[in-house]
């Protein structure tokens, strides 16, 4: 659901961060918005399909070897960073 103002690049989201006035950028007042091709539903679905086909099947192998580590990617960015640093030692 992400999109940006074509004029100033301010970021928005269809559900979570809409402009105060529909169709008008809060920052510059622009009325033109754009979406990156990698933010389209079809692109996201294709990535998820590839993950399920190519990545998910190898996870049990690495888990069995004791080398798989998990990071909560939905956590706050600082927490994700802390988790990665801790894993890397």
């Amino acid at each position: 659901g992400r999109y940006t103002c074509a004029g100033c690049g301010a970021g928005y989201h269809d559900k979570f961060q809409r402009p105060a006035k529909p169709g008008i950028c809060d920052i510059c007042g622009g009325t033109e918005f754009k979406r990156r091709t990698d933010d389209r539903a079809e692109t996201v679905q294709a990535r998820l399909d590839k993950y399920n086909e190519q990545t998910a099947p190898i996870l049990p192998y690495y888990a069995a070897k004791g080398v798989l580590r998990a990071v909560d990617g939905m956590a706050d960015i600082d927490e994700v960073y802390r988790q990665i640093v801790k894993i890397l030692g």
Side-chain angles (χ1 to χ4, degrees):
R2 295 184 299 183
Y3 61 98
T4 59
C5 172
C8 70
Y12 297 96
H13 190 277
D14 290 332
K15 293 181 183 176
F16 306 114
Q17 187 177 350
R18 297 179 182 165
K21 293 183 182 178
I24 301 173
C25 176
D26 296 338
I27 307 302
C28 72
T31 57
E32 208 173 311
F33 297 89
K34 60 184 179 178
R35 293 181 192 270
R36 296 179 353 190
T37 56
D38 59 336
D39 280 343
R40 294 194 178 128
E42 301 82 21
T43 305
V44 173
Q45 187 60 55
R47 286 182 178 171
L48 289 172
D49 291 344
K50 286 289 184 194
Y51 171 83
N52 288 323
E53 292 169 13
Q54 298 176 355
T55 303
I58 66 170
L59 296 178
Y61 171 82
Y62 288 104
K65 289 189 157 289
V67 296
L68 183 67
R69 302 291 183 266
V71 172
D72 178 5
M74 295 303 291
D76 177 83
I77 190 67
D78 292 330
E79 176 58 24
V80 172
Y81 176 77
R82 281 190 288 277
Q83 290 179 32
I84 292 170
V85 168
K86 184 178 178 183
I87 289 169
L88 296 177

